[in-house]
Every structure is written in C-alpha cells, then in structure tokens.
Amino acid sequence: MPLTEESRAIYEEVVSAFPTKADVWCKYAELELGGGNMSGLKAIFQRCLMQVPSLELWALYIKFIRRSNKSKGPEGAVEVRNALNFTLEVTGQDINSGPFWQDCITHLQGAKPGTPEFAALFPQASRAVLLLWRGDLAAMAGQEDQARLAAVRKVYQAAVCVPHSHLDGLWRDYQRFENEGPNKQFAKKHLSLALWPLPLGKGGLLQDTQAALWRDYLTYERSNPQGLDAATLQQRVSLAFDQALICFLHFPEVWLDYADWHASCGRADAAAATLSKAQVALPQCLQLRLLAADLHERTGNPQQAVAIFEGLAQNLEQQQAVTRGTLPAAEAGPLLPMTPEQGELVWSQYMLLLRRVENEYHSRKASMFLRARKWQQGLAAGEYSCWRLYADAAMLEWRRGRDAGAARNIFEKGLEDPRLFREPQFVLAYLDMLTGLGDLDNARALLARVLADEVNARSVMLWQRYLAFEGMAGDLAAVLEVERQAVAALRGEEVEQLRAALPLLLVPGAH
C-alpha cells in the first residue's frame, strides 16, 4: 500500500479501534518509513512504543534511529547508542531480547579508534587526546582500547545475566572477547572466578560446585548453631538467602527453599512475597507458580490459588490460539511457554483444587473438564496425547463424587480420540476402574474392542493385562484363547516377552 493520505487515514482508523494491535502499528510504521516520512514515523513511535510491548516495534524504532542519524557523525553515533540503551532498559529482560544485546555490542565495537565517533562513544578516552598532544601514540592507543573494553565488557556482563534465547552464543562471544583481550591473566582469572547469576546449567562446573556450597551454608544457618533468638535468626537466615540469590537468581530451588523456610516458621506473608519475587526473576518457571498456589491454599486463601490456576489455564488457551494463528502474539502478551505434559498437569491440578473448594466454585468446576478437553483436542496430532487429563477427571468423579456414570462417560469420550484409543496406559486406567466397580463384562468388552485395532494388537502390555484379567475373572479356556490371539498378533521378541511373563501373569495379584 503506497503512502497516501487515504492509506494513512485507514491505518488511523484501525489503530483507534485496536490501539494495542502491534502488527498494525508495525505496518503503519513501515509505511511511513518506506515513504521517508521521518516526522510521521517519530509521531507513531511516540504514540505506541511504550504502550505496546512488542519487540518488532522496538526493532523498527532502532531502524528509524539508525536511518535518521546516519549522516550526523559523532552526534548520530551517540544517539544510536542511547536508543539501544533505552531499548535494553525496556525490553532487555525479554526472552527474545538477544538481538538487541548483540546489536549494542556490535555498535560499540564498530567505532574506529582515533575517530570523532570513537571519542563521542567513549568519553573516558579523552585523556588520549592529551597523550597524543604529548606525542605518546602508544599510550593513546592503550587508553582508547581500555575505554572500549570497559564499555563492551559492561554490556556483555549484563547480557549474559538475562535468560534469553541467544544466551549460549553471547556467552561464547564474551569468553572469546575476554580471552582475546590484552591481559590474558586477567581474562583467565575473571572468567574462572566470576560467579554470574546465570540460569541453571549455564555456568559450568564452577556454578554447580558453588551452588552445592551455598546449599550447605544455608542448611547450616537454618540449623541455628549459635542458638540465636527468633528475630535475630530470621534476619541472619534471610540475609544468607538474599546473598545466595545474588549469584543464583535463576535457580528455582533456592527460591523454593527460601519460601518454604518462611512458611515453616509461620510467616505466610513473607513466603508469598518471596514467591512473588521469584516469579519476577523466573517468569518462565511453572513450578514456582504451582507452589505459590499451594501456599495460598494451605494458608487459608483459596481465592488466590484459584486465580493462579485460572491464569495458567488462560495462558494455555492463549498459547494454543497463538500457535494456531487465531490470536496475534501481540494481543496475547508475554506468555509462559508450556509443553503438553505441563498443560496436562495444570488442568488436572486445577480440577482437583476446585473439587476441594467446590462449595464456592461449583459452577466453574462443572465446566472445567470441558475447557480442558477443548484444549487437549486442539493439540497437534503428533504431540503428547494428555491421557492423564481424562483419566484423572474420570477418577475424580468416581472417587470423590461417587458418580461412576460420569466417570464412564469421560473414559468413553477419551476413547473417541485415536491418540487415547491407542494409548495403552489410558486403556488400562479405564480397565482398572471397571474391574474396581466389579463390571467384568464391560472390562472384557473393553479389552476385546481395543485389541481389535491393528496398532493396539502389537502392544505386549495390553495382552499381558488381558491374560492377567482372564486369569482372575475367566477360566482356563478363556486364558488359552487370549494366549492364542496374542501369539497370532505379536511378532518375534514380543511373543517371547509375553511367554516369559505368563507364569507371573496367571498368579492373582502378580500384575
């Protein structure tokens, strides 16, 4: 679309109706940029940049700053540096902020020593001018190198403390930067002794060793070897944890131990505050959110626990919508990425929580499985089937609600999904419920129905349970018939595996 008053009016109408729609703002900005309208582009950024936290918008902002300062010499170099610093202040903690950190480092490294641009970027090197006036060229070069090294090192050290997707590459670049510097001994000592608050597993052997030592120290302080009074002990142990978190900010277990220590001492508010800080430091850690919900429930605040699980459930629904293209990522905002296995856990635990507080949340409990099932049905065909979601919901109805009919319906709904129909553990969970109810006829029918499928017929696990079932509920003829069918369906080592287990399978209770 060309840049015209008509096209601009169209975009204005759209952004007025959808002021947080980042992709529209991006296209609007690209239109102005393509048309060379720098003043119009600047106005767009003033309107949307701080209100719409989109990294695509910030990338366009940097592009705009570079273009508008391209021919401004030293002043332009400083403007670009300031824009990059500003961008990192706002977006530097984002998981996708790696390119911005790299861009900032590249900009600082790109200035040539002795140029006005270099002097503007590194005013610390101004002493080099005096050295040059005195004729000390070698000293001047050394002073400039030190100024640049200090500035680049500062950016590297900030960049490698953020858990973004470019962390590994930036850490390798930082190691190379220090090792190729003028002082090899300094680099060796600095890289080997410095403890950065890196994510778990990113700090090498030294990080693991230091973490173990800190755990021992925290255990020692909590044991109160000096017999301190409660107030002094709380202050001392809190200080120890806070000091540990300087280096192990991204270790979930340190935060969990800190919160658990507060909770064990009856300080529920302090434990909740610790977990809130932990979620800021580790926004991608599901375990911290689940523990926070558990803490709220245990301390008599189920509303907060439900709110946490509802947030996680909405996160799963939005994540799936973004993946399927039905919801723009900018509208969804920052999401906690969760695997199907983690999603299964969230839904199951949410249903259990609502059952425990069902008087207050009865209407929500009734619809929860339907929401969970809709999410499970939206998973890609090749992803984990989330069979426990159905099994847990069914067993909840049976054991807590004493509603065997509802439990059967949930299992049957699951069998309508080919992924669950061909999941032996799901079938066996259904079988366990039927045998627990004493409904042996339907249990036998379930096994026969499932094993009639060509894929299921190759499952040694299902045939073993079928033989065990007939050994308990049938007669010898039934056992022999199942054994014949199994041998006909299985191949090679599968048959040997089945026969090796036959003596155990036919002993009641052995399975």
Side-chain angles (χ1 to χ4, degrees), residues 100-168:
F100 292 137
W101 288 106
Q102 186 63 66
D103 199 8
C104 186
I105 292 167
T106 302
H107 181 68
L108 294 177
Q109 291 179 325
K112 295 181 179 180
T115 63
E117 288 79 5
F118 189 97
L121 286 173
F122 309 108
Q124 307 94 322
S126 58
R127 179 171 173 267
V129 177
L130 295 176
L131 294 171
L132 177 60
W133 179 72
R134 294 172 184 170
D136 194 345
L137 295 175
M140 183 198 76
Q143 187 73 14
E144 288 183 329
D145 286 342
Q146 288 302 315
R148 191 213 300 265
L149 284 171
V152 174
R153 179 180 291 118
K154 183 178 179 180
V155 179
Y156 266 126
Q157 291 178 354
V160 298
C161 293
V162 178
H164 51 71
S165 55
H166 288 63
L167 178 59
D168 288 339

Side-chain angles (χ1 to χ4, degrees), residues 340-341 343-344 375-376 379 384-390 420:
E341 291 84 355
E344 177 187 61
W375 170 82
Q376 183 267 343
L379 295 175
Y384 171 62
S385 65
C386 297
W387 65 271
R388 289 188 181 84
L389 185 62
Y390 288 77
L420 272 68

Side-chain angles (χ1 to χ4, degrees), residues 20-334:
T20 60
K21 195 164 175 57
D23 57 334
V24 175
W25 281 111
C26 286
K27 291 177 181 177
Y28 192 5
E30 287 172 349
L31 185 70
E32 297 285 6
L33 182 64
N37 185 10
M38 295 295 108
S39 61
L41 183 57
K42 183 177 180 180
I44 289 175
F45 286 133
Q46 289 173 340
R47 294 166 59 189
C48 70
L49 202 58
M50 299 303 294
Q51 283 70 40
V52 185
S54 165
L55 265 65
E56 289 79 7
L57 269 175
W58 282 97
L60 279 173
Y61 167 69
I62 294 298
K63 188 176 180 180
F64 157 70
I65 293 295
R66 285 190 182 280
R67 179 176 293 190
S68 57
N69 288 277
K70 188 175 181 180
S71 59
K72 293 185 179 180
E75 181 184 348
V78 172
E79 285 295 320
V80 172
R81 182 201 62 191
N82 292 342
L84 286 167
N85 289 341
F86 177 50
T87 300
L88 289 172
E89 286 178 11
V90 178
T91 69
Q93 298 300 314
D94 191 279
I95 193 173
N96 295 312
S97 63
F100 292 137
W101 288 106
Q102 186 63 66
D103 199 8
C104 186
I105 292 167
T106 302
H107 181 68
L108 294 177
Q109 291 179 325
K112 295 181 179 180
T115 63
E117 288 79 5
F118 189 97
L121 286 173
F122 309 108
Q124 307 94 322
S126 58
R127 179 171 173 267
V129 177
L130 295 176
L131 294 171
L132 177 60
W133 179 72
R134 294 172 184 170
D136 194 345
L137 295 175
M140 183 198 76
Q143 187 73 14
E144 288 183 329
D145 286 342
Q146 288 302 315
R148 191 213 300 265
L149 284 171
V152 174
R153 179 180 291 118
K154 183 178 179 180
V155 179
Y156 266 126
Q157 291 178 354
V160 298
C161 293
V162 178
H164 51 71
S165 55
H166 288 63
L167 178 59
D168 288 339
L170 276 171
W171 176 249
R172 288 193 297 270
D173 291 343
Y174 177 49
Q175 288 178 309
R176 189 182 307 112
F177 166 78
E178 292 288 8
N179 287 324
E180 293 177 355
N183 192 333
K184 299 295 189 293
Q185 290 300 318
F186 171 81
K188 182 178 180 180
K189 181 179 179 181
H190 193 65
L191 291 172
S192 63
L193 295 183
L195 269 179
W196 308 98
L198 297 171
L200 182 63
K202 299 294 185 182
L205 181 61
L206 176 66
Q207 184 186 55
D208 296 337
T209 303
Q210 290 294 321
L213 291 173
W214 271 102
R215 291 189 193 99
D216 292 343
Y217 171 61
L218 292 169
T219 301
Y220 173 78
E221 289 291 5
R222 280 177 288 180
S223 69
N224 194 11
Q226 296 174 283
L228 303 173
D229 61 84
T232 305
L233 178 65
Q234 178 182 348
Q235 184 180 15
R236 188 177 184 89
V237 176
S238 295
L239 177 62
F241 270 110
D242 289 339
Q243 289 174 332
L245 287 168
I246 292 173
C247 293
F248 302 104
L249 184 69
H250 301 294
F251 275 51
E253 63 266 29
V254 179
W255 287 105
L256 295 175
D257 287 347
Y258 198 179
D260 186 62
W261 171 70
H262 278 306
S264 66
C265 297
R267 295 186 293 272
D269 291 343
T274 298
L275 289 173
S276 295
K277 293 179 182 177
Q279 291 176 57
V280 174
L282 291 163
Q284 310 296 318
C285 184
L286 174 62
Q287 185 182 10
L288 287 171
R289 302 195 189 195
L290 295 179
L291 184 66
D294 177 69
L295 177 69
H296 285 306
E297 185 184 4
R298 285 192 286 120
T299 54
N301 192 5
Q303 297 87 353
Q304 284 296 323
V306 171
I308 290 174
F309 272 104
E310 178 60 26
L312 290 172
Q314 292 180 10
N315 186 110
L316 285 166
E317 292 167 333
Q318 292 176 349
Q319 178 184 335
Q320 188 174 84
V322 170
T323 301
R324 300 174 71 178
T326 57
L327 177 68
E331 290 187 16

Side-chain angles (χ1 to χ4, degrees), residues 8-21 24-25:
R8 187 178 285 118
I10 293 173
Y11 274 108
E12 284 295 335
E13 185 176 351
V14 175
V15 297
S16 296
F18 305 99
T20 60
K21 195 164 175 57
V24 175
W25 281 111

